[in-house]
Amino acid sequence: MLDTPASSGRAPGATDFAVVTHPALTPDDVRLARLENPGFGRVFTDRMVTIRYSEGAGWHDATLGPRQNLSFDPSTAVLHYAQEIFEGMKAYRLDDGAAALFRPDANAARFRASAERMAMVPLPEAMFVDAVKALVLAERDWIPSVPGGALYLRPFMIASEVFLGVKPSSEYIFAVIASSVGAYFKGEAPAVSLWVSTDYTRAAPGGTGAAKCGGNYAASLIAQAEATRRGHDQVLFLDATERRWIEELGGMNVFFVFDDGSLLTPPLGGTILPGITRDSLITLARDRGLVVREAPYAIDQAQADARSGRLVEAFACGTAAVVTSIGSMTLGDDRFTIGSGGPGQVTGALRSALVDLQLGHAPDPYGWHVRLD
C-alpha cells in the first residue's frame, strides 16, 4: 500500500496539507484480517489529519501524517472546561472501488455551529471538508467490504491552551481520525427495544443539546447503562421540563410512522441534535409523497397509539446506525410493542433509499453523494 500522496508532499484540496510519510504502515495481510470482522470503533487506520489554531496565527500547520498520541500539559483547557466538539460521518466503497462521502458539507456546517455554541473558534467549512477528503483518499484501503461496512470518520476539536481560568481558549487542535466499521448493533437485530428514562434528561432549553459535544454524551451514559441493565438496547429521553415529550435516543434521532402512512419526528428547538440522517430522511420521505410532521409527541400518546394500532412503525436514525427499527418501548413496568415488533415497510423503504444514495446505487438529485477519485 503506497503512502499516497507522499510523492508530492501535499494532500489534494484547496487547503495546503503537509504530508508526513508514515514510518511503518500496517502490512496488507494484517489490515485485511482486521477488516474481516471490524466491529464498531475498534479498528483504526494508520493516518490522521491535524490542524492547529492560535490567536494571531489563525488556523495553521495542516498536516496529514501518522496516527499518534496527543500529549497535553495537565492544565490544558479541554481537561478542565470541556471545550470539545466532534462529528460522525462515513466514507463508503463504491462498486468500482472508489470512495464516496455523504453530505460532508452538512457535517462541516454542524461542526461550525457546535463550535460557536461552545465559544470555540470555528474551523472554516471548506477546510473541514478538505481535511476529511484528504484522510479518506489516503486511507480508502481501510474501507471494509463486509455488508454495512464503511470508514467511520471522527473529526474533532479540543481547546489546547494551557491555563486555569473560566474563559474560552485561545488555542485549539482540530483532528480527523478514521475507523473501519461494520454494523453498529451486534447481531444485526431486526428491531431494538427502548427504555424510557424518567429519571434523567439529555438536554434542557438553553443548554448544549443542539451541539455535538462530548458532555451531552457523558450525561447520557448513566441512563444508557440503566437501559442496558434492564435488558434494552437504547435509552429514550423525554423533555427536561414536563418529562413527557419524546426527544431523542442517547445518540440517535427518532421517527414514528402511523397507520395513515404519515411520519412524525420531534421538532428541533435547541434540545435535540439536528441529525444529518434525520434531515435526509425527511427530504426523501416528502419527495416520495409522504407527509412528515416535525411536531411534539408525548410518550403517553405513543403508548396509547401503539396499543390502538395507530402507531405502526418507529425507527431510530443516525450516521452510525443508519436506520434501525424500534420494536418496543418500556415505560416503567409497561412494555408496549410497536406494530409487528419488527421492521416495517416504510422504515425499510426509507432505509433502502438512503443507502442507495450513499453507495451511489441511485440517481442523486440533491448533490449529497460526493465521489472521491
Side-chain angles (χ1 to χ4, degrees):
M1 186 168 63
L2 296 177
D3 191 16
T4 56
S7 58
S8 66
R10 298 291 171 188
T15 303
D16 193 17
F17 290 91
V19 176
V20 177
T21 301
H22 200 292
L25 291 169
T26 301
D28 287 350
D29 58 337
V30 175
R31 173 175 48 79
L32 291 172
R34 293 177 182 173
L35 297 185
E36 289 180 0
N37 184 23
F40 200 96
R42 299 289 184 179
V43 175
F44 294 94
T45 71
D46 289 319
R47 303 175 182 86
M48 65 189 295
V49 166
T50 56
I51 310 175
R52 294 180 178 269
Y53 175 88
S54 60
E55 288 185 353
W59 290 101
H60 61 280
D61 288 347
T63 303
L64 170 65
R67 184 176 182 272
Q68 58 189 337
N69 292 340
L70 298 175
S71 179
F72 301 112
D73 185 282
S75 299
T76 301
V78 67
L79 302 177
H80 301 271
Y81 308 111
Q83 270 191 297
E84 179 271 350
I85 58 172
F86 66 96
E87 272 299 319
M89 51 199 302
K90 286 178 178 176
Y92 306 89
R93 186 185 301 282
L94 305 182
D95 292 340
D96 63 1
L101 295 168
F102 184 73
R103 303 190 66 181
D105 56 330
N107 289 98
R110 188 171 67 180
F111 194 74
R112 185 205 70 239
S114 294
E116 292 171 346
R117 176 60 184 86
M118 300 300 289
M120 305 171 78
V121 177
L123 181 79
E125 293 177 31
M127 189 175 287
F128 176 101
V129 174
D130 284 346
V132 169
K133 287 181 177 179
L135 186 61
V136 172
L137 285 170
E139 301 289 62
R140 55 186 153 188
D141 287 344
W142 285 87
I143 303 177
S145 45
V146 298
L151 192 62
Y152 185 82
L153 304 165
R154 173 50 58 87
F156 65 95
M157 184 164 71
I158 60 172
S160 56
E161 183 182 0
V162 176
F163 77 98
L164 294 178
V166 183
K167 73 173 186 68
S169 177
S170 63
E171 298 177 6
Y172 297 93
I173 297 173
F174 168 79
V176 190
I177 57 175
S179 174
S180 307
V181 300
Y184 184 74
F185 287 107
K186 294 180 180 179
E188 297 185 352
V192 296
S193 65
L194 305 185
W195 168 256
V196 181
S197 180
T198 55
D199 293 327
Y200 304 102
T201 59
R202 178 186 170 274
T208 60
K212 199 166 177 66
C213 60
N216 292 341
Y217 294 81
S220 75
L221 295 179
I222 189 170
Q224 178 59 48
E226 180 183 21
T228 301
R229 187 170 63 250
R230 293 176 179 272
H232 300 280
D233 299 297
Q234 279 283 316
V235 62
L236 178 67
F237 288 108
L238 306 178
D239 72 290
T241 304
E242 297 183 52
R243 306 292 178 94
R244 184 187 177 209
W245 303 101
I246 293 171
E247 295 217 318
E248 64 175 291
L249 279 63
M252 289 168 275
N253 297 122
V254 62
F255 281 79
F256 301 93
V257 185
F258 299 97
D259 56 2
D260 62 358
S262 67
L263 290 86
L264 180 148
T265 188
L268 303 179
T271 60
I272 295 176
L273 184 72
I276 293 163
T277 305
R278 173 189 182 275
D279 181 73
S280 302
L281 290 168
I282 290 173
T283 298
L284 289 172
R286 286 175 174 165
D287 283 357
R288 280 157 178 74
L290 298 175
V291 174
V292 184
R293 289 173 290 143
E294 296 181 73
Y297 193 41
I299 187 60
D300 55 325
Q301 187 64 56
Q303 194 175 24
D305 288 345
R307 289 238 154 77
S308 70
R310 178 172 180 259
L311 177 61
V312 295
E313 299 177 40
F315 60 86
C317 65
T319 298
V322 192
V323 175
T324 301
S325 294
I326 298 168
S328 68
M329 296 183 184
T330 298
L331 176 64
D333 295 328
D334 183 23
R335 179 168 184 153
F336 52 97
T337 300
I338 298 172
S340 66
Q345 291 185 347
V346 174
T347 301
L350 288 175
R351 187 185 193 283
S352 294
L354 178 66
V355 171
D356 283 347
L357 281 175
Q358 291 170 339
L359 299 179
H361 292 165
D364 176 17
Y366 313 107
W368 291 346
H369 179 85
V370 179
R371 179 186 174 95
L372 303 179
D373 291 308

